[in-house]
């Protein structure tokens, strides 16, 4: 029965991780899929969220989830300003999509580095971790840390809200329209710059919230570690299909499960290799994403 | 050969000649260190621009190639002579570039950037894993009879080679194909150009040079540790230097390498200790360097998208007789 | 295969998601023939050209050049076999000179010249299309018609056996049109086969040996220009019910 127990363990741990990844992926999906900005400072925004949670726990002895109250609006505001004053000019001057891609990659790298520098100045360059709800909870004969289970529930709640917002509200519909074709969306009286700014800001807020969630169970994070999360988010978004929210969620679970599988059965040292392996498979066989149609 | 080309050749020969005599100066250790850095980054940034200039693909794979080159030498220095290893290192970099290129270069630029973004970290983890689990060694001490002067000359030779290769490419079918691809990929393919293939060839060339630099540098640093060779920041430095200088001219990256290396050096020396700046205590050179990288990226995007070379060319056009009035 | 056919299109369809842009089209192009591909806007003519040139792959069906199946092959391969094209919206290479734009067609494709030979060859082709004076001019200074000529020169630089002209005569004034038609005539006399996508009826009547009429992706008529233009189905497709 060992095989079965290990199997269940991998399935559940992987899903818990996948649920958290889906937050980062949703953030990037909003920013890249709708606002057309390939935001490579995504991981840094994520780390910033985690650091604020860390600060709330260590210096105020509060639950890390309390930090969501100011992380979410704070990240929303900052990302809105970034879009409005730094990225919008790039969108305007870009003659074609390729140019916007290069410009936004370079600009967001710049922002990411500046953010890392500032975070290092504020929090120091060391690894940081805190413990939160480490007691075990038993699911199907396996022990799981309560913090992971709660993290998964919070992620699922946020994703659910976003999903509803995306498919049931006017703003959500406008975002989907812009995701499909900004030019055509403009023709049906959608305020494309406004919707793009909103999506970018919302994406940043979701990403930072993801950082808060992951900080409750992931140890040894540091201010310059954002790049790995950027990478994972990007892999998930591409695997899911650019602008496809459902695909991004499924891809997050695939990544979470694969990583857990490899870490449990092979060696934790191969987690990144596993992510790359998935990435290569996607690039070779489904560059248009899991559910995407092959473009002509 | 046109007149401009003649002048360019003379300048290049004079420049390399002068640089080659540097080690013969007495008490020039500091200068040598600086020259070594500048030469190393000149090779890296120029070979980066050979590929990224015409294709507009942003490669962050430099650190991976550099690391692979160092790894080849670290694994083989006890068995094979250094020149052979140098060739093998370059080859390994080329093969890695070909694999990455074949997987990503037929797709849009975003996939490529993302793939190269984590490549150095991926290979670092694999090399570390092999080191600790299979060969069970910690760090390797790479002792060769490569003296400091020779290391410098080797890098200088690589720099000369990179310029020569770049000059030859510009005049070749491949260079012409790249200019067409950079303008319009649809027209390129309808003219019979294999655009993914052309990009892969250029990427392989740039991978070759970066790996060769890594191979030389490991004999200088001696202590081979994956953490110090697969260092992602090297990739970012190279991108910034090349773009800062300008990638549409062969000698453009050089104009980014020199100021950036000097600035980096100043930060390294001046901010050893925490110090106050604008009323804020700056904790470390580390943070300041990271912020400098960030600021340079922003500067490139918002103010000098065509690099120093672009600025110089615009200025020259304005100063040229009759060029002042027209803004075309 | 059909007697004397240079290009053979067999039951080719192209779907974009649910949209059927080209619907089971079959036709042949013979040596030394000018074939008109006509039909209302959106009928799938340009898609058909894209399928032949390799810009798109057919969803179903085969395209042969001689006995070689080309419809699975990339555009660069098809270009090297000797099919060259112009684009509906002119596509020139803005950072290259006029001469280099033409050279682009002669260096990598069906013809593989390089260096001085390629330059001289491109210059002669520019002369041929009446653009000899523009060799030293910046590309952006050219008028639309001159840009079209440069693009044609680029296509000719490959010395193609089959030339695909996608609305190359559109937007010309009466004098230019006459020159354009004469130019296409001489190309045919050199032994090239040409497919023209056209709306200009004068050009169709004076140039085409045969015409294929497309509507909503499907072929609705085939024959001499006189025949198809008198065909009630064609008139219906162009002008709608009231004229049928």
């Amino acid at each position: 029965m060992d095989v079965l127990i290990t199997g269940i363990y991998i399935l559940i741990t992987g899903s818990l991780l996948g649920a958290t990844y889906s937050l980062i992926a949703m953030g990037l999906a909003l920013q890249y899929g709708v606002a057309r900005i390939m935001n490579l400072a995504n991981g840094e925004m994520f780390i910033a969220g985690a650091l604020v949670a860390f600060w709330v726990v260590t210096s105020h002895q509060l639950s890390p989830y309390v930090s969501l109250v100011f992380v979410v609006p704070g990240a929303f505001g900052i990302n809105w300003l970034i879009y409005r004053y730094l990225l919008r000019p790039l969108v305007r001057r870009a003659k074609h999509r390729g140019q916007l891609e290069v410009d936004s990659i370079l600009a967001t790298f710049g922002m990411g580095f500046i953010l890392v520098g500032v975070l290092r100045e504020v929090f120091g360059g060391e690894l940081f971790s805190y413990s939160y709800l480490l007691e075990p909870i038993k699911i199907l004969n396996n022990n799981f840390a309560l913090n992971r289970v709660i993290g998964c529930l919070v992620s699922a709640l946020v994703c659910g809200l976003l999903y509803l917002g995306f498919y049931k509200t006017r703003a959500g519909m406008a975002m989907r329209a812009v995701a499909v074709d900004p030019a055509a969306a403009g023709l049906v009286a959608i305020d494309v710059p406004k919707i793009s700014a909103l999506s970018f800001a919302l994406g940043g807020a979701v990403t930072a919230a993801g950082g808060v969630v992951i900080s409750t169970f992931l140890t040894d994070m540091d201010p310059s570690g954002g790049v790995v999360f950027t990478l994972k988010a990007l892999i998930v978004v591409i695997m899911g299909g650019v602008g496809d929210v459902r695909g991004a969620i499924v891809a997050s679970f695939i990544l979470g499960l694969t990583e857990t599988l490899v870490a449990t059965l092979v060696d934790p040292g191969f987690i990144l290799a596993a992510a790359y392996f998935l990435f290569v498979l996607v690039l070779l066989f489904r560059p248009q994403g899991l559910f995407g149609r092959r473009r002509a | 050969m046109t007149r401009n080309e003649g002048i360019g050749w003379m300048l290049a020969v004079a420049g390399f000649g002068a640089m080659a005599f540097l080690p013969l100066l007495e008490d020039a250790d500091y200068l040598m260190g600086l020259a070594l850095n500048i030469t190393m980054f000149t090779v890296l940034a120029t070979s980066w621009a050979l590929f990224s200039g015409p294709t507009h693909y942003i490669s962050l794979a430099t650190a991976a190639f550099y690391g692979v080159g160092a790894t080849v030498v670290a694994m083989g220095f006890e068995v094979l002579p250094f020149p052979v290893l140098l060739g093998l290192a370059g080859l390994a970099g080329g093969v890695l570039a070909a694999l990455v290129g074949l997987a990503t270069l037929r797709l849009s630029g975003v996939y490529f950037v993302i793939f190269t973004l984590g490549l150095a970290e991926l290979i670092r983890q694999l090399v570390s894993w092999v080191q600790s689990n299979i060969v069970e060694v910690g760090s390797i001490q790479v002792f060769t009879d490569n003296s400091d002067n020779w290391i410098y000359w080797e890098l200088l030779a690589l720099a000369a080679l990179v310029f020569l290769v770049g000059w030859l490419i510009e005049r070749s079918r491949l260079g012409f194909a790249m200019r067409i691809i950079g303008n319009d990929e649809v027209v390129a393919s309808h003219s019979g150009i294999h655009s993914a293939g052309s990009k892969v060839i250029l990427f392989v060339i740039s991978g070759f040079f970066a790996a060769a630099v890594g191979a030389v540098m490991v004999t200088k640093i001696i202590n081979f540790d994956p953490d110090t060779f697969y260092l992602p920041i090297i990739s970012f430095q190279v991108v910034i230097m090349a773009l800062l200088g300008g990638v549409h001219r062969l000698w453009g990256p050089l104009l980014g390498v020199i100021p950036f290396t000097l600035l980096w050096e100043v930060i390294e020396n001046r901010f050893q200790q925490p110090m106050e700046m604008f009323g804020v205590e700056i904790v470390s050179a580390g943070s300041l360097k990271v912020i400098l990288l960030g600021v340079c990226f922003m500067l490139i995007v918002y103010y000098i998208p065509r690099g120093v070379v672009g600025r110089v060319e615009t200025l020259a056009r304005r100063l040229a007789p009759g060029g002042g009035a027209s803004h075309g | 295969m059909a007697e004397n056919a240079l290009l053979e299109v067999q039951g080719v369809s192209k779907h974009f998601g649910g949209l059927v842009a080209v619907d089971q089209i079959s036709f042949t192009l013979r040596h030394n023939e000018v074939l008109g591909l006509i039909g209302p806007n959106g009928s799938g003519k340009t898609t058909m050209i894209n399928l032949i040139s390799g810009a798109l792959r057919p969803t179903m069906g085969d395209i042969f050049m001689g006995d070689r199946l080309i419809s699975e092959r990339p555009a660069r391969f098809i270009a090297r076999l000797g099919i060259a094209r112009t684009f509906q919206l002119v596509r020139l290479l803005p950072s290259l000179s006029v001469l280099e734009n033409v050279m682009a067609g002669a260096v990598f494709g069906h013809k593989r010249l390089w260096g001085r030979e390629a330059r001289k060859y491109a210059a002669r082709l520019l002369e041929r299309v009446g653009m000899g004076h523009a060799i030293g001019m910046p590309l952006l200074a050219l008028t639309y018609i001159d840009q079209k000529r440069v693009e044609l020169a680029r296509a000719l630089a490959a010395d193609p056996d089959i030339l695909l002209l996608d609305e190359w005569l559109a937007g010309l004034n009466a004098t230019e049109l006459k020159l354009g038609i004469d130019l296409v005539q001489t190309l045919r006399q050199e032994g090239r086969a040409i497919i023209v996508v056209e709306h200009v009826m004068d050009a169709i009547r004076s140039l085409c040996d045969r015409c294929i009429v497309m509507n909503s992706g499907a072929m609705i008529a085939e024959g001499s220009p006189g025949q198809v233009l008198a065909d009630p189905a064609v008139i219906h497709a162009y002008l709608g019910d009231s004229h049928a």
Side-chain angles (χ1 to χ4, degrees):
Chain A
M1 289 309 284
D2 262 5
V3 178
L4 188 64
I5 289 175
T6 315
I8 291 172
Y9 170 81
I10 291 171
L11 207 63
I12 295 178
T13 314
S15 305
L16 294 178
L17 194 61
T20 320
Y21 284 159
S22 64
L23 274 191
I24 328 175
M26 296 273 267
L28 196 65
L30 282 166
Q31 294 185 327
Y32 183 53
V34 182
R36 295 289 196 278
I37 298 291
M38 175 42 81
N39 181 10
L40 293 173
N42 184 270
E44 278 70 39
M45 195 48 69
F46 180 79
I47 294 282
L51 278 166
V52 172
F54 167 75
W55 173 73
V56 163
V57 173
T58 49
S59 47
H60 297 272
Q61 283 78 43
L62 290 168
S63 157
Y65 287 110
V66 171
S67 63
L68 285 175
V69 177
F70 37 90
V71 163
V72 170
F76 187 92
I78 290 169
N79 279 278
W80 189 83
L81 290 174
I82 288 176
Y83 186 84
R84 180 69 189 74
Y85 292 102
L86 291 173
L87 299 172
R88 179 95 187 105
L90 298 183
V91 175
R92 271 196 208 181
R93 84 174 189 198
K95 291 192 196 77
H96 47 87
R97 190 152 179 198
Q99 193 191 348
L100 177 60
E101 236 152 45
V102 171
D103 279 349
S104 59
I105 284 168
L106 295 174
T108 55
F109 265 139
M111 294 167 204
F113 275 113
I114 293 173
L115 197 54
V116 170
V118 171
L119 291 176
R120 279 178 59 137
E121 283 306 305
V122 176
F123 293 96
E126 302 90 48
L127 301 174
F128 64 94
S129 40
Y130 61 89
S131 58
Y132 169 72
L133 292 182
L134 264 178
E135 57 260 46
I137 176 170
K138 220 174 175 83
I139 306 174
L140 296 173
N141 275 339
N142 269 300
N143 281 326
F144 296 94
L146 188 56
N147 53 24
R148 283 190 183 244
V149 177
I150 296 200
C152 170
L153 292 177
V154 172
S155 305
L157 183 72
V158 176
C159 283
L161 285 176
L162 276 177
Y163 197 86
L164 282 180
F166 219 54
Y167 285 96
K168 302 280 176 206
T169 66
R170 275 179 79 89
M173 193 163 108
M175 283 180 189
R176 281 185 293 139
V178 175
V180 175
D181 187 341
L187 292 179
V188 293
I190 290 172
D191 187 343
V192 177
K194 199 177 118 196
I195 291 296
S196 301
L198 187 67
S199 307
F200 191 84
L202 191 60
V206 174
T207 305
V212 171
V213 172
I214 218 163
S215 75
T216 61
F217 60 86
L218 216 65
T219 52
D220 290 347
M221 298 172 79
D222 78 298
S224 29
V227 94
V228 176
F229 293 101
T230 307
L231 196 66
K232 286 179 181 176
L234 292 166
I235 292 175
V236 164
V237 167
I238 287 171
M239 205 193 315
V242 174
D244 183 346
V245 174
R246 202 173 32 125
I249 294 175
V250 174
S252 306
F253 279 93
I254 293 176
L255 181 66
L257 285 168
T258 311
E259 285 190 353
T260 314
L261 188 80
V262 168
T264 317
L265 299 182
V266 190
D267 189 303
F270 287 119
I271 288 182
L272 188 65
Y276 256 90
F277 181 65
L278 281 180
F279 192 24
V280 171
L281 288 184
V282 169
L283 289 183
L284 292 182
F285 301 109
R286 285 205 78 77
Q288 73 276 32
L290 288 174
F291 304 113
R293 266 204 206 100
R294 199 172 271 277
R295 258 190 255 157
Chain B
M1 200 182 290
T2 64
R3 200 169 134 250
N4 276 343
E5 267 184 344
I7 296 174
W9 270 98
M10 268 152 55
L11 278 176
V13 171
F16 276 104
M19 292 289 279
F21 279 107
L22 209 57
L24 306 180
L25 294 180
E26 304 219 353
D27 297 324
D29 284 356
Y30 181 72
L31 206 60
M32 269 291 289
L34 217 52
L36 187 97
N37 263 339
I38 287 176
T39 314
M40 170 181 117
F41 278 113
T42 300
V43 181
L44 293 176
T46 309
S47 63
W48 183 89
L50 285 185
F51 167 74
S52 292
T55 59
H56 310 297
Y57 281 77
I58 298 168
S59 162
L60 292 167
T62 310
F65 299 138
Y66 180 83
V68 163
T71 309
V72 168
V73 174
M75 297 291 165
F77 75 98
E78 282 169 326
V79 199
L80 290 167
F82 181 69
V84 176
L85 285 173
L86 190 59
L88 282 179
L91 208 63
V95 169
L96 178 62
L99 291 176
V100 174
L102 289 174
T104 54
L105 284 177
R106 52 197 181 92
L107 303 167
S108 95
V110 173
Y111 298 81
F112 178 75
V113 181
I114 297 164
F115 199 92
T116 57
L117 173 63
L119 191 64
E121 177 62 14
L122 171 72
I123 300 177
R124 184 193 69 79
Q125 287 188 6
L126 296 179
V127 171
S128 300
W129 187 86
V130 171
Q131 266 196 338
S132 53
N133 290 292
I134 297 182
V135 274
E136 293 183 354
V137 286
S139 59
I140 301 171
Q141 303 299 310
V142 183
F143 290 113
T144 55
D145 43 17
N146 219 1
S147 74
D148 276 8
N149 283 353
W150 269 107
I151 287 167
Y152 172 71
W153 280 322
E154 282 157 12
L155 288 175
L156 210 55
L158 280 175
L161 191 61
V162 112
F163 279 109
L164 184 66
V165 167
W167 184 76
L168 289 173
I169 290 174
E170 259 176 27
R171 303 162 58 89
S172 72
R173 271 196 164 91
L174 179 62
F176 188 45
M178 289 321 294
R179 286 173 62 207
I180 297 170
I181 294 168
N183 270 278
D184 189 331
E185 208 150 321
V186 175
V187 171
S189 61
H190 280 88
S191 306
I193 294 171
H194 194 318
S195 55
S198 313
K199 290 178 200 165
V200 172
I201 293 172
L202 280 186
F203 193 46
V204 165
I205 292 172
S206 89
F208 174 91
F209 277 105
V213 171
V216 174
M217 286 308 286
V218 76
T219 65
K220 161 99 186 155
I221 297 169
I222 294 172
N223 182 22
F224 174 78
D225 175 357
D227 292 358
T228 53
F229 280 91
Y230 293 95
L231 203 61
I233 200 130
I234 296 174
S235 307
F236 288 105
Q237 281 174 283
V238 167
V239 173
I240 287 174
M241 290 181 201
L243 291 175
L244 200 62
V247 292
H248 59 288
R249 290 276 178 270
L250 187 56
W251 43 274
L254 188 62
L255 297 190
V257 168
I258 295 171
F260 193 87
T261 314
L262 294 178
L263 195 59
W264 201 257
E265 189 74 19
V266 168
I267 292 178
E268 208 142 73
N269 291 334
R270 289 288 294 278
F271 296 90
Q272 305 277 10
Q273 255 73 59
M275 64 167 288
E276 209 157 275
M277 200 178 161
F278 310 122
V280 185
E281 188 172 287
I282 302 291
V283 178
S284 65
S287 311
L288 204 59
K289 280 183 185 168
V290 173
I291 291 175
L292 173 70
L293 284 177
V295 169
C296 284
F297 267 123
M298 308 285 271
L299 207 64
I300 289 164
V301 175
Y302 292 99
Y303 296 104
I304 39 173
R306 282 167 63 79
V308 176
V309 175
R311 282 277 150 137
V312 171
E313 282 174 346
T314 317
L315 197 69
R317 227 173 296 139
R318 276 205 200 132
L319 294 177
S326 70
H327 292 274
Chain C
M1 77 181 275
E3 192 74 22
N4 209 17
L6 183 56
L7 187 81
E8 188 168 357
V9 176
Q10 287 182 345
V12 163
S13 298
K14 179 67 190 179
H15 301 179
F16 294 108
L19 176 79
V20 182
V22 168
D23 190 8
Q24 297 187 34
I25 299 277
S26 299
F27 63 87
T28 55
L29 174 70
R30 300 189 196 106
H31 286 280
N32 223 357
E33 179 181 45
V34 177
L35 179 70
L37 194 55
I38 63 177
N41 286 325
S43 57
K45 304 179 301 285
T46 293
T47 308
M48 191 64 237
I49 295 291
N50 284 336
L51 290 168
I52 297 171
S53 79
L56 296 173
R57 252 171 221 213
T59 314
M60 276 179 291
D62 298 319
I63 302 173
F64 292 90
M65 183 177 179
D67 292 322
R68 290 182 95 148
L69 179 68
I70 60 169
S71 44
E72 310 283 310
R73 296 308 200 109
R76 61 168 192 278
F77 179 87
I78 294 169
R80 286 180 193 179
L81 278 185
I83 298 183
R85 70 174 289 181
T86 63
F87 294 88
Q88 190 177 2
L89 300 168
V90 180
R91 297 184 89 133
L92 291 179
L93 308 162
S95 78
L96 273 60
S97 72
V98 169
L99 189 70
E100 285 173 325
N101 261 279
V102 179
M103 277 171 68
V107 175
F108 308 97
H110 193 215
K111 214 167 176 79
R112 299 180 69 82
L113 302 176
W114 184 236
R116 198 175 127 81
E117 208 183 347
R119 276 196 300 278
K120 291 289 168 195
Y121 179 70
R124 285 181 73 101
L125 281 171
L126 278 168
E127 298 271 349
R128 256 205 84 183
V129 299
M131 290 293 294
H133 61 283
I135 288 181
M137 276 166 72
L139 204 59
L140 295 171
L142 299 184
T143 60
Y144 187 63
I145 164 75
D146 284 352
Q147 294 188 9
K148 286 195 144 191
R149 287 186 185 162
V150 172
E151 199 190 29
L152 179 64
R154 181 176 71 209
L156 287 178
D159 191 16
D161 298 330
I162 299 174
L163 188 59
L164 311 172
L165 300 178
D166 195 352
E167 298 197 20
W168 190 75
L169 296 164
L172 306 192
N173 66 30
T175 334
E176 292 165 342
L177 187 62
K178 170 114 189 18
L179 285 172
I181 290 172
D182 290 347
L183 186 59
V184 178
Q185 289 286 14
T186 62
L187 296 177
R188 181 240 299 272
Q189 278 152 22
E190 288 171 6
R192 301 181 210 280
I194 304 169
I195 298 181
V196 292
V197 170
E198 238 4 290
H199 283 300
V200 184
M201 290 301 163
D202 285 347
I204 295 165
R205 283 184 211 277
S206 55
L207 273 178
C208 300
D209 304 307
R210 267 188 317 138
C211 280
I212 285 168
V213 188
M214 289 178 72
N215 189 28
S216 308
M219 186 156 96
I220 56 169
E222 182 181 6
S224 72
Q227 280 169 345
V228 299
L229 292 177
D231 190 320
V234 177
I235 295 169
H236 179 87
Y238 266 98
L239 300 172
D241 280 324
S242 58
H243 295 264

